[in-house]
Amino acid sequence: MDETAGGASATLHMICGKIAAGKSTLAAGLAALPATIRISEDAWLSCLYEGEQKTIEDYVRNSRRLRAVMGDHIVQLLQAGLSVVLDFPANTPTSRDWMRSLFERAGVGHRLHFLDVPDEICKARLRARNAAGTHAFNATDAEFDLFTSYFVPPSADEGFDIETYGPTASRS
């Protein structure tokens, strides 16, 4: 898989993992690849909807709005030869279907990075992240549990090129 612009094919990188599994850390590393940019849902949502992200319904509504406006832009970036690290949670079949539509419309390759990290490790990382104040959004253990109740790991039946990372990966 060639991930450089200038005649080579672009790639859409998608990331699946629970809260604090290390999605943004992995995204930052992937964005260091040549001709690759990162688009962070958390960064956009925290800026566009500052103080408005209080419930899961708020998140779903605002995320839907962001995806609606960003879709064509992401396709154009991919068609221009840039690889895109989509730092949006690919945590449900519906969200992954939207992401699939992007790389299919652009006619480029893809990679679904799956962070398979147990809840107890994610919660410990979440508490540390909350205490450090290093993330755009803080979440409680109860909110982690609520969001995780919607989490659906990717399956081979979905047809993605999946790269799985285990719990020993040092991510925050």
Side-chain angles (χ1 to χ4, degrees):
M1 168 175 63
D2 190 344
E3 299 172 11
T4 60
S9 72
T11 300
L12 179 65
H13 294 276
M14 303 158 288
I15 305 175
C16 178
K18 298 170 188 166
I19 294 174
K23 295 182 300 296
S24 293
T25 301
L26 176 60
L30 292 169
L33 294 167
T36 303
I37 64 163
R38 172 183 168 207
I39 301 174
S40 168
E41 181 184 62
D42 286 342
W44 281 87
L45 290 177
S46 67
C47 198
L48 291 172
Y49 304 107
E50 184 176 0
E52 296 179 36
Q53 298 280 109
K54 300 193 184 311
T55 66
I56 195 165
E57 293 80 12
D58 293 339
Y59 166 74
V60 170
R61 180 185 62 251
N62 295 336
S63 177
R64 187 176 298 124
R65 289 174 177 167
L66 182 62
R67 289 171 192 233
V69 74
M70 293 298 291
D72 288 342
H73 179 65
I74 293 165
V75 169
Q76 290 173 357
L77 292 169
L78 292 164
Q79 289 173 333
L82 290 171
S83 289
V84 174
V85 178
L86 197 55
D87 191 1
F88 287 51
N91 291 346
T92 66
T94 300
S95 65
R96 292 189 290 270
D97 285 345
W98 174 73
M99 294 172 185
R100 175 188 306 282
S101 77
L102 301 175
F103 68 76
E104 286 180 347
R105 285 172 44 208
V108 301
H110 74 279
R111 171 78 44 100
L112 177 58
H113 302 268
F114 173 38
L115 295 162
D116 189 10
V117 181
D119 289 1
E120 54 274 5
I121 293 174
C122 292
K123 284 183 175 181
R125 291 176 180 174
L126 176 61
R127 290 181 204 113
R129 182 174 87 182
N130 288 346
T134 57
H135 197 271
F137 299 106
N138 287 339
T140 65
D141 280 5
E143 290 167 328
F144 174 90
D145 292 337
L146 177 62
F147 274 84
T148 299
S149 73
Y150 294 94
F151 181 82
V152 179
S155 72
D157 296 345
E158 291 179 84
F160 288 102
D161 177 10
I162 302 172
E163 183 172 346
T164 302
Y165 302 77
T168 59
S170 75
R171 312 210 187 284
S172 60

